[in-house]
Amino acid sequence: MKLKGRKIYKGTAEAEAIVTKDGISFYGGVDPDTGEVVEVGHELEGQSITGKVLVFPTGKGSTVGSYTMYRMKKNNTAPAAIVNKQIDTIVAVGCIISEIPCVDKIDINKIQNGQKIIVNGSEGTVEVK
Amino acid sequence: MKLTQEEQDMLDGKYGKSAKKSMEILTTLGEIFDAECMVDVYGVQIAGVSYANLGEAGLEFLSEMAIDGKVRVLTTLNPAGMDRENWQELGIDKEFAKNQNRAIDAFAKMGIITTCSCTPYLIGNAPHYGQHLAWAESSAVCYANSVIGARTNREGGPSALASALTGKTPKYGYHLDENRHGQVLFKTNTPVKGTDEFGVLGKIIGDKLVELGKKIPYISGIPLATVEELKSFCASVATYGGTALFHMEGITPEYNKYPIPKDFVFEINQDDLDKTRAELIDDDLEIDFVSIGCPHASIHEIEKIARLLEGKKVKKEFWITTARPTKRIVDEVGYSKIIEDAGAKFAADTCCVVAPIKGRFKGIMVDSAKACYYGRAKNKFKVKIGSIEECIEEAIK
């Protein structure tokens, strides 16, 4: 199944999907040293997003979150790619400065946790294998 | 998005790596928000300066941008986490000071004027009516759009820097006439006076806008307002309401450019002012810290403080937060000496919102509704709002 969305940041990645219905705040909500979601009560609390395709509706929280994503990239704890229902400026800027492939305007209900997916940020597509 | 040849060349890397990265940020934002093109900006104000907010990650990003990045327009900085000259006396630790200076050095390398202030419009980053800007710092954004009639969206740290390094911003949101109409009418039926009371008014309006899911208020019934009252109002309505633009009848330059909103109309009476002021005064209060200058104190405010403190002694920690150029002027005319002889301290380049002072004090008294919000949320202080006169009385008590 190939889903067509909008390109946010170029590049391709193939990895396992980690999917949540909750918004993500990278600043304060994710530990940039371990890649774990640390927001109390978050659906992904305690799980690592490192090397996965992170699928969530939209970003939230402080604009410092863009810098947190950059730090994750430098620490090798960043997700391999990001898929959103609707991008917000914090995650968009974070993906650009950290060079993480990113696509939005995707019906994220069609992606299941653990599925292998290919994100093509240059074409704005997500392929579920 | 339609790009000019120059903009396309930046995107293609012909102007270097930092300009390319910057143009990637700006074109992506432009596409997300359906901008048709870029617009040239007169100036930039950058937020995300305090090391407490940037961290190593932010600093690394700045250092990388500074390798070949140079500003193309007038660019100033938000307050840092400390007074750059007087940090030791204000209790800032050495390690923090070292890291804060690394961040400021990276900004300086890009040609940014490292005057760290939330009131760029008071110290020479002064746009005129109708000019396009890319400003971060919510209170300054609100002031520029509303009081000056310039045009800027609420930028974040990286997008403001991207505009500084390219001289461009995507043309959407508050850059366009159609997004600058007032949405909610607030009729003020009672006199509003002083920085504290304008802050209270900002909270009333900001809270109401959040409740309604609206952004742009039109305010009537204020016959006169000073620059200081307006900067306090801007800080408050931006903090509580996320407001980037307001119109004030007879005061702001665009008040009669658009129709007066009719769909949502609210009256503000003395009761509302009293009730909201009470919300900004905590119970079981023990004040051990007084701070004036949120947003940064003007020459006029410092002159007033000097007059009120002359020949007196403060008994509590008392900070006046201001911009370095303002501090130099008040040094020259002698206000600083009067204030420092009374035992109060200047904290230039920084403020009580961004300095790392969490938990250092129990209760703070301020004349700013914005400082109340961050004093509670970020620094875990109890808070009290009052006029400048009341703040001084408290300090010398």
Side-chain angles (χ1 to χ4, degrees):
Chain A
M1 178 180 50
K2 200 167 186 176
L3 305 169
K4 177 78 183 131
R6 175 171 66 167
K7 74 166 218 191
I8 299 296
Y9 194 75
K10 63 180 185 248
T12 55
E14 179 173 351
E16 191 184 304
I18 183 165
V19 185
T20 173
K21 302 274 180 294
D22 293 347
I24 288 190
S25 167
F26 279 90
Y27 180 65
V30 180
D31 183 334
D33 294 325
T34 63
E36 258 177 45
V37 176
V38 292
E39 183 183 330
V40 177
H42 196 283
E43 196 184 349
L44 299 182
E45 188 183 349
Q47 296 187 50
S48 170
I49 58 173
T50 301
K52 305 214 171 105
V53 175
L54 180 60
V55 182
F56 61 105
T58 194
K60 61 176 184 178
S62 162
T63 55
V64 179
S66 307
Y67 289 135
T68 307
M69 293 171 71
Y70 185 80
R71 182 164 163 196
M72 293 179 80
K73 184 70 177 192
K74 294 280 165 182
N75 286 345
N76 295 316
T77 60
I82 286 178
V83 175
N84 274 182
K85 186 161 180 273
Q86 175 64 45
I87 195 84
D88 77 307
T89 54
I90 302 164
V91 173
V93 171
C95 286
I96 300 162
I97 66 178
S98 322
E99 303 187 343
I100 298 171
C102 179
V103 173
D104 88 329
K105 297 209 185 288
I106 293 287
D107 182 358
I108 61 170
N109 295 322
K110 294 193 169 143
I111 305 170
Q112 308 300 321
N113 227 354
Q115 279 177 329
K116 262 261 191 260
I117 63 176
I118 302 170
V119 177
N120 186 329
S122 310
E123 285 178 8
T125 57
V126 176
E127 195 179 340
V128 181
K129 287 200 124 178
Chain B
M1 250 181 118
K2 267 187 293 196
L3 297 182
T4 63
Q5 190 58 50
E6 185 191 39
E7 289 158 2
Q8 188 62 50
D9 287 347
M10 285 182 188
L11 190 59
D12 294 341
K14 290 182 189 161
Y15 286 74
K17 263 181 89 173
S18 302
K20 177 181 165 66
K21 181 64 66 189
S22 299
M23 200 44 92
E24 282 177 2
I25 293 173
L26 299 174
T27 49
T28 303
L29 291 177
E31 268 153 37
I32 294 170
F33 293 108
D34 292 324
E36 279 179 14
C37 59
M38 294 284 171
V39 63
D40 290 335
V41 295
Y42 156 79
V44 172
Q45 166 78 3
I46 291 180
V49 178
S50 173
Y51 181 75
N53 291 337
L54 276 173
E56 272 310 299
L59 186 51
E60 211 176 315
F61 174 71
L62 293 177
S63 307
E64 220 157 272
M65 294 297 269
I67 292 173
D68 71 349
K70 282 277 177 273
V71 298
R72 291 166 65 94
V73 291
L74 178 65
T75 303
T76 46
L77 285 186
N78 238 25
M82 62 181 196
D83 185 307
R84 297 191 68 199
E85 293 174 7
N86 196 27
W87 53 271
Q88 264 164 321
E89 206 201 317
L90 297 167
I92 302 297
D93 80 66
K94 247 190 178 147
E95 187 62 24
F96 183 88
K98 197 180 93 193
N99 287 325
Q100 183 62 73
N101 279 327
R102 284 165 64 213
I104 293 172
D105 290 347
F107 285 120
K109 188 161 179 267
M110 290 184 267
I112 293 162
I113 297 171
T114 55
T115 297
C116 302
S117 177
C118 51
T119 57
Y121 49 88
L122 291 181
I123 53 159
N125 191 349
H128 188 49
Y129 181 85
Q131 285 184 307
H132 296 277
L133 315 169
W135 278 18
E137 169 49 34
S138 64
S139 72
V141 165
C142 188
Y143 192 95
N145 273 323
S146 315
V147 181
I148 299 171
R151 296 177 171 222
T152 176
N153 288 317
R154 279 161 65 101
E155 302 295 342
S159 65
L161 179 62
S163 288
L165 299 180
T166 57
K168 313 279 180 176
T169 194
K171 195 173 183 183
Y172 70 93
Y174 293 107
H175 292 284
L176 303 171
D177 275 355
E178 65 255 36
N179 300 319
R180 295 176 67 90
H181 293 228
Q183 299 167 327
V184 184
L185 172 61
F186 291 91
K187 292 181 175 171
T188 312
N189 296 324
T190 184
V192 182
K193 208 173 179 320
T195 45
D196 56 326
E197 205 150 76
F198 271 83
V200 169
L201 180 70
K203 178 170 170 18
I204 295 173
I205 293 173
D207 286 346
K208 194 70 189 172
L209 290 168
V210 169
E211 197 187 307
L212 295 169
K214 301 284 179 196
K215 288 283 180 206
I216 309 175
Y218 180 105
I219 302 136
S220 69
I222 309 274
L224 214 58
T226 65
V227 163
E228 287 77 10
E229 287 166 339
L230 289 168
K231 84 174 157 69
S232 179
F233 177 79
C234 286
S236 177
V237 78
T239 296
Y240 292 98
T243 295
L245 168 65
F246 65 87
H247 301 294
M248 198 178 270
E249 191 177 49
I251 306 269
T252 62
E254 289 184 311
Y255 84 90
N256 56 3
K257 185 170 174 179
Y258 308 107
I260 297 173
K262 293 194 192 93
D263 296 346
F264 300 94
V265 180
F266 296 92
E267 308 220 343
I268 296 173
N269 298 307
Q270 189 59 41
D271 282 4
D272 301 306
L273 289 179
D274 294 344
K275 209 181 94 221
T276 302
R277 176 180 293 272
E279 288 170 17
L280 294 174
I281 301 173
D282 282 321
D283 298 331
D284 303 322
L285 193 63
E286 186 191 326
I287 294 167
D288 53 358
F289 184 33
V290 179
S291 182
I292 295 174
C294 172
H296 272 169
S298 67
I299 296 170
H300 188 66
E301 284 170 313
I302 295 171
E303 180 268 333
K304 184 172 178 178
I305 295 165
R307 197 159 26 83
L308 291 164
L309 276 180
E310 189 153 22
K312 308 215 169 74
K313 285 280 175 206
V314 301
K315 302 203 174 66
K316 291 169 181 132
E317 185 82 3
F318 188 166
W319 288 12
I320 295 146
T321 56
T322 191
R324 178 73 53 194
T326 308
K327 172 70 168 46
R328 298 216 196 286
I329 294 170
V330 298
D331 283 351
E332 238 172 70
V333 290
Y335 302 149
S336 303
K337 184 165 188 316
I338 296 170
I339 288 168
E340 284 167 346
D341 283 351
K345 296 171 186 166
F346 280 93
D349 317 312
T350 188
C351 75
C352 61
V353 171
V354 296
I357 52 171
K358 182 177 174 181
R360 239 174 85 186
F361 304 101
K362 295 193 194 83
I364 181 172
M365 181 149 180
V366 290
D367 70 326
S368 158
K370 173 177 181 172
C372 287
Y373 177 88
Y374 285 99
R376 278 172 176 160
K378 192 161 168 279
N379 290 325
K380 309 296 170 202
F381 302 151
K382 292 204 167 185
V383 304
K384 181 178 183 179
I385 195 167
S387 65
I388 288 187
E389 288 83 353
E390 288 165 335
C391 287
I392 305 264
E393 268 169 44
E394 181 65 44
I396 60 176
K397 196 159 77 182

